[in-house]
Amino acid sequence: MPRASRRFGQARHPNSARTGELMKIGIIGAGNIGGNLTRRLTSLGHEVSVANSRGPETLSALAGETGATPVTVADAARGAEIVVVTVPLKNVPDLPAGLFDGAAEGFAVIDTGNYYPKQRDGRIAAIEDEGLTESRWTQNHLGHPVIKAFNGTYADDILDKPLPSGAPDRIAVPVAGDDEAAKKVVRDLIDALGFDTVDAGGVDESWRQQPGTPVYGLRAGVTAVTRALAEASPERTADFRG
């Protein structure tokens, strides 16, 4: 969810986020969500490579602030155990071929994207006419399973709202995806970042957390997020139809 920010060891273990081991993480997109994930993940000690469409030389300030390594988009996934794709949906088809060449075995891909046909992306026929969810469309272009998460999260909350596990006001993040092993890695990482998670089903169920649904932008705990997912309608609201 676009929202301006107010502030500015590797492992080969499928449960590394839960066990406290550090991972190599690639972030493609250095906007509000990508920038704040870079800030939080580096603060936890993860090795982060970050890329944007304008080139690594434009990321020197973020690199200096966080210790992340600025790289080209083509190199962002190299050696990564988790790759975060956080670019405008309309730009997904423009990502380079072989994007995930050289990623770590069993790597997971987090998709934070949203479809804004009127505001930014234009009309995408496969979503509008064929009924693909946004993340299914993205997954088809990337050629690798994705885990949808953080698409309805305010960017500032990544910095300002983390709480310890069990805290009564801890925010829950819906997480959807078909690859259960990858989903577990992502949910464990989100827990380490200071948020609960709710399993929102597979990629074809991820419409429940798309823009215009009750859970989109909801700052609430597990019970309320679970209820909001159940109350969602597959019919797109007028603001999010192309």
Side-chain angles (χ1 to χ4, degrees), residues 37-89:
L37 283 174
T38 298
R39 293 176 174 93
R40 285 286 291 131
L41 290 167
T42 53
S43 76
L44 294 175
H46 297 288
E47 180 182 346
V48 176
S49 295
V50 60
N52 67 6
S53 61
R54 295 178 295 144
E57 65 278 2
T58 67
L59 295 169
S60 57
L62 181 62
E65 175 191 344
T66 64
T69 301
V71 296
T72 65
V73 172
D75 287 334
R78 194 171 306 280
E81 294 155 279
I82 293 179
V83 181
V84 182
V85 177
T86 180
V87 302
L89 207 72

Coordinates of all heavy atoms in Angstrom, one line a residue, residues 37-89:
L37 N 11.1 -2.0 4.4 CA 11.6 -3.4 4.6 C 13.1 -3.5 4.6 O 13.7 -4.2 5.5 CB 11.0 -4.3 3.5 CG 9.5 -4.7 3.7 CD1 9.1 -5.5 2.5 CD2 9.3 -5.5 5.0
T38 N 13.7 -2.7 3.8 CA 15.2 -2.7 3.8 C 15.7 -2.2 5.2 O 16.6 -2.8 5.8 CB 15.7 -1.7 2.7 OG1 15.4 -2.3 1.4 CG2 17.2 -1.6 2.8
R39 N 15.1 -1.1 5.7 CA 15.4 -0.6 7.0 C 15.3 -1.6 8.1 O 16.1 -1.8 9.0 CB 14.6 0.7 7.3 CG 15.0 1.8 6.4 CD 14.1 3.1 6.6 NE 14.6 4.2 5.8 CZ 14.1 4.5 4.6 NH1 13.1 3.8 4.1 NH2 14.6 5.5 3.9
R40 N 14.1 -2.3 8.1 CA 13.8 -3.2 9.2 C 14.6 -4.5 9.1 O 15.1 -5.0 10.1 CB 12.3 -3.5 9.2 CG 11.4 -2.4 9.8 CD 11.6 -2.3 11.3 NE 10.9 -3.5 11.9 CZ 11.5 -4.3 12.9 NH1 12.7 -4.0 13.3 NH2 10.9 -5.3 13.4
L41 N 14.8 -5.0 7.9 CA 15.5 -6.3 7.8 C 17.0 -6.1 8.1 O 17.6 -7.0 8.7 CB 15.3 -6.8 6.4 CG 13.8 -7.3 6.1 CD1 13.6 -7.5 4.6 CD2 13.5 -8.6 6.9
T42 N 17.6 -5.0 7.6 CA 19.0 -4.8 8.0 C 19.1 -4.6 9.5 O 20.1 -5.0 10.1 CB 19.5 -3.6 7.2 OG1 18.7 -2.4 7.4 CG2 19.7 -3.9 5.7
S43 N 18.1 -3.9 10.1 CA 18.2 -3.7 11.6 C 18.2 -5.0 12.3 O 18.7 -5.1 13.5 CB 17.1 -2.8 12.1 OG 15.9 -3.4 12.1
L44 N 17.6 -6.0 11.8 CA 17.6 -7.4 12.4 C 18.8 -8.2 12.0 O 19.0 -9.3 12.5 CB 16.3 -8.1 11.9 CG 15.0 -7.6 12.4 CD1 13.8 -8.4 11.7 CD2 14.8 -7.6 13.9
G45 N 19.7 -7.6 11.2 CA 20.9 -8.3 10.9 C 21.0 -9.1 9.6 O 22.0 -9.7 9.3
H46 N 19.8 -9.1 8.9 CA 19.8 -9.8 7.6 C 20.7 -9.1 6.6 O 20.9 -7.8 6.6 CB 18.4 -9.9 7.1 CG 17.5 -10.7 7.9 ND1 17.6 -12.1 8.1 CD2 16.5 -10.4 8.8 CE1 16.7 -12.6 8.9 NE2 16.0 -11.5 9.4
E47 N 21.3 -9.8 5.6 CA 22.1 -9.3 4.6 C 21.1 -8.9 3.4 O 20.5 -9.8 2.8 CB 23.1 -10.3 4.1 CG 24.0 -9.8 3.0 CD 25.0 -10.9 2.5 OE1 25.2 -11.9 3.2 OE2 25.6 -10.7 1.4
V48 N 21.0 -7.7 3.1 CA 20.0 -7.2 2.2 C 20.7 -6.6 1.0 O 21.5 -5.7 1.1 CB 19.0 -6.2 2.8 CG1 18.1 -5.6 1.8 CG2 18.3 -6.8 4.0
S49 N 20.2 -7.0 -0.2 CA 20.6 -6.4 -1.5 C 19.3 -5.7 -2.0 O 18.2 -6.3 -1.9 CB 21.1 -7.4 -2.5 OG 22.3 -8.0 -2.1
V50 N 19.4 -4.5 -2.4 CA 18.2 -3.7 -2.8 C 18.5 -3.1 -4.2 O 19.6 -2.6 -4.5 CB 17.9 -2.6 -1.8 CG1 19.0 -1.6 -1.6 CG2 16.6 -1.9 -2.1
A51 N 17.4 -3.1 -5.0 CA 17.5 -2.6 -6.4 C 16.3 -1.8 -6.7 O 15.2 -2.0 -6.2 CB 17.6 -3.8 -7.4
N52 N 16.5 -0.9 -7.7 CA 15.3 -0.2 -8.3 C 15.5 0.0 -9.8 O 16.6 -0.4 -10.3 CB 15.1 1.1 -7.6 CG 16.2 2.1 -7.8 OD1 17.1 1.9 -8.6 ND2 16.2 3.3 -7.1
S53 N 14.6 0.5 -10.4 CA 14.6 0.7 -11.9 C 15.6 1.7 -12.4 O 16.0 1.7 -13.5 CB 13.2 1.0 -12.4 OG 12.8 2.2 -11.9
R54 N 16.0 2.6 -11.5 CA 16.9 3.7 -11.9 C 18.4 3.4 -11.7 O 19.2 4.2 -12.1 CB 16.5 4.9 -11.1 CG 15.1 5.5 -11.4 CD 14.8 6.7 -10.5 NE 14.7 6.3 -9.1 CZ 15.2 7.1 -8.1 NH1 15.7 8.3 -8.4 NH2 15.0 6.7 -6.9
G55 N 18.7 2.3 -11.1 CA 20.1 1.9 -11.0 C 20.7 2.0 -9.6 O 20.2 2.9 -8.8
P56 N 21.7 1.2 -9.2 CA 22.2 1.2 -7.8 C 22.8 2.6 -7.4 O 22.8 2.9 -6.2 CB 23.3 0.1 -7.9 CG 23.6 -0.1 -9.3 CD 22.3 0.2 -10.1
E57 N 23.3 3.4 -8.3 CA 23.9 4.6 -8.0 C 22.8 5.6 -7.3 O 23.2 6.5 -6.6 CB 24.5 5.3 -9.2 CG 23.6 5.7 -10.3 CD 23.2 4.6 -11.2 OE1 23.6 3.4 -11.0 OE2 22.4 4.9 -12.2
T58 N 21.6 5.3 -7.5 CA 20.5 6.2 -7.0 C 20.1 5.7 -5.5 O 19.3 6.3 -4.9 CB 19.3 6.2 -7.8 OG1 18.7 4.9 -7.8 CG2 19.6 6.6 -9.3
L59 N 20.7 4.6 -5.1 CA 20.4 4.1 -3.8 C 21.5 4.3 -2.7 O 21.5 3.7 -1.7 CB 20.1 2.6 -3.9 CG 18.9 2.2 -4.8 CD1 18.9 0.7 -5.1 CD2 17.6 2.6 -4.1
S60 N 22.4 5.2 -3.0 CA 23.5 5.4 -2.1 C 23.0 5.9 -0.7 O 23.6 5.5 0.3 CB 24.5 6.4 -2.7 OG 23.9 7.6 -3.0
A61 N 22.0 6.8 -0.7 CA 21.5 7.3 0.6 C 20.9 6.1 1.5 O 21.2 6.0 2.7 CB 20.5 8.4 0.4
L62 N 20.1 5.3 0.8 CA 19.5 4.2 1.6 C 20.6 3.2 2.0 O 20.5 2.7 3.1 CB 18.5 3.5 0.7 CG 17.7 2.3 1.3 CD1 16.9 2.7 2.5 CD2 16.8 1.6 0.2
A63 N 21.5 3.0 1.1 CA 22.6 2.0 1.5 C 23.4 2.6 2.7 O 23.8 1.9 3.6 CB 23.5 1.8 0.3
G64 N 23.7 3.9 2.6 CA 24.5 4.5 3.7 C 23.7 4.5 5.0 O 24.3 4.3 6.1
E65 N 22.4 4.6 5.0 CA 21.6 4.6 6.2 C 21.5 3.2 6.8 O 21.5 3.0 8.0 CB 20.2 5.1 5.8 CG 19.2 5.0 7.0 CD 17.8 5.3 6.5 OE1 17.6 5.8 5.4 OE2 16.8 5.0 7.3
T66 N 21.4 2.2 5.9 CA 21.0 0.8 6.4 C 22.2 -0.2 6.3 O 22.1 -1.2 7.0 CB 19.9 0.3 5.6 OG1 20.3 0.1 4.2 CG2 18.7 1.2 5.6
G67 N 23.1 0.0 5.5 CA 24.2 -1.0 5.3 C 23.8 -2.0 4.2 O 24.5 -3.0 3.9
A68 N 22.6 -1.8 3.6 CA 22.2 -2.7 2.5 C 23.1 -2.5 1.3 O 23.7 -1.4 1.1 CB 20.8 -2.4 2.1
T69 N 23.2 -3.5 0.4 CA 24.0 -3.4 -0.8 C 23.2 -3.0 -2.0 O 22.3 -3.7 -2.4 CB 24.7 -4.7 -1.1 OG1 25.5 -5.1 0.1 CG2 25.6 -4.6 -2.3
P70 N 23.4 -1.9 -2.6 CA 22.7 -1.5 -3.8 C 23.2 -2.3 -5.0 O 24.4 -2.4 -5.2 CB 23.0 0.0 -4.0 CG 24.2 0.2 -3.3 CD 24.4 -0.8 -2.2
V71 N 22.3 -2.9 -5.8 CA 22.6 -3.7 -6.9 C 21.7 -3.4 -8.1 O 20.7 -2.7 -7.9 CB 22.5 -5.2 -6.5 CG1 23.5 -5.6 -5.5 CG2 21.1 -5.6 -6.1
T72 N 22.0 -4.0 -9.2 CA 21.0 -3.9 -10.3 C 19.9 -4.9 -10.1 O 20.0 -5.8 -9.3 CB 21.7 -4.3 -11.6 OG1 22.1 -5.7 -11.6 CG2 22.9 -3.4 -11.9
V73 N 18.8 -4.6 -10.8 CA 17.6 -5.6 -10.7 C 18.0 -7.0 -11.0 O 17.6 -7.9 -10.4 CB 16.5 -5.1 -11.5 CG1 15.3 -6.1 -11.6 CG2 15.9 -3.7 -11.0
A74 N 18.9 -7.1 -12.1 CA 19.3 -8.4 -12.5 C 20.1 -9.2 -11.5 O 20.1 -10.4 -11.5 CB 20.1 -8.3 -13.8
D75 N 20.7 -8.5 -10.5 CA 21.6 -9.1 -9.5 C 20.9 -9.2 -8.2 O 21.5 -9.8 -7.2 CB 22.9 -8.3 -9.4 CG 23.8 -8.5 -10.5 OD1 23.7 -9.6 -11.2 OD2 24.6 -7.6 -10.8
A76 N 19.7 -8.7 -8.0 CA 19.0 -8.6 -6.7 C 18.8 -9.9 -6.1 O 18.8 -10.1 -4.8 CB 17.7 -7.8 -6.8
A77 N 18.5 -11.0 -6.8 CA 18.1 -12.3 -6.3 C 19.4 -13.2 -6.1 O 19.2 -14.3 -5.6 CB 17.1 -12.9 -7.2
R78 N 20.5 -12.7 -6.5 CA 21.7 -13.6 -6.5 C 22.0 -14.0 -5.0 O 22.3 -13.2 -4.2 CB 22.9 -12.9 -7.1 CG 24.0 -13.9 -7.4 CD 25.1 -13.1 -8.2 NE 24.6 -12.5 -9.4 CZ 24.3 -13.1 -10.6 NH1 24.5 -14.5 -10.6 NH2 23.8 -12.5 -11.6
G79 N 21.9 -15.3 -4.8 CA 22.2 -15.9 -3.5 C 21.1 -15.7 -2.5 O 21.2 -16.1 -1.3
A80 N 20.0 -15.1 -2.9 CA 18.9 -14.7 -1.9 C 18.1 -15.9 -1.5 O 17.7 -16.7 -2.4 CB 18.1 -13.6 -2.5
E81 N 17.7 -16.0 -0.3 CA 16.8 -17.0 0.2 C 15.4 -16.5 0.2 O 14.4 -17.3 0.2 CB 17.2 -17.4 1.7 CG 18.5 -18.1 1.7 CD 19.2 -18.0 3.0 OE1 19.9 -17.0 3.2 OE2 19.1 -19.0 3.8
I82 N 15.2 -15.2 0.3 CA 13.9 -14.5 0.1 C 14.1 -13.4 -0.9 O 15.1 -12.6 -0.8 CB 13.3 -14.0 1.4 CG1 13.0 -15.2 2.3 CG2 12.1 -13.2 1.1 CD1 12.4 -14.8 3.7
V83 N 13.2 -13.3 -1.9 CA 13.2 -12.1 -2.8 C 11.9 -11.4 -2.6 O 10.8 -12.0 -2.7 CB 13.4 -12.6 -4.2 CG1 13.5 -11.4 -5.2 CG2 14.7 -13.4 -4.4
V84 N 12.0 -10.1 -2.4 CA 10.8 -9.3 -2.3 C 10.6 -8.5 -3.6 O 11.5 -7.8 -4.0 CB 10.9 -8.3 -1.1 CG1 9.6 -7.5 -1.0 CG2 11.2 -9.1 0.2
V85 N 9.5 -8.7 -4.2 CA 9.1 -8.0 -5.5 C 8.1 -6.9 -5.1 O 7.0 -7.3 -4.8 CB 8.6 -8.9 -6.6 CG1 8.2 -8.1 -7.8 CG2 9.7 -9.9 -6.9
T86 N 8.5 -5.7 -5.1 CA 7.6 -4.6 -4.6 C 7.7 -3.5 -5.6 O 8.3 -2.4 -5.3 CB 8.0 -4.2 -3.2 OG1 7.1 -3.1 -2.8 CG2 9.4 -3.8 -3.0
V87 N 7.2 -3.7 -6.8 CA 7.2 -2.8 -7.9 C 5.8 -2.5 -8.4 O 4.9 -3.4 -8.1 CB 8.1 -3.3 -9.1 CG1 9.5 -3.5 -8.6 CG2 7.5 -4.5 -9.7
P88 N 5.5 -1.4 -9.1 CA 4.2 -1.2 -9.6 C 3.8 -2.4 -10.5 O 4.6 -2.9 -11.3 CB 4.3 0.1 -10.4 CG 5.4 0.8 -9.8 CD 6.4 -0.2 -9.3
L89 N 2.5 -2.8 -10.4 CA 2.1 -4.0 -11.1 C 2.4 -3.9 -12.6 O 2.8 -4.9 -13.3 CB 0.6 -4.3 -10.9 CG 0.2 -5.7 -11.0 CD1 0.7 -6.5 -9.9 CD2 -1.3 -5.8 -11.1

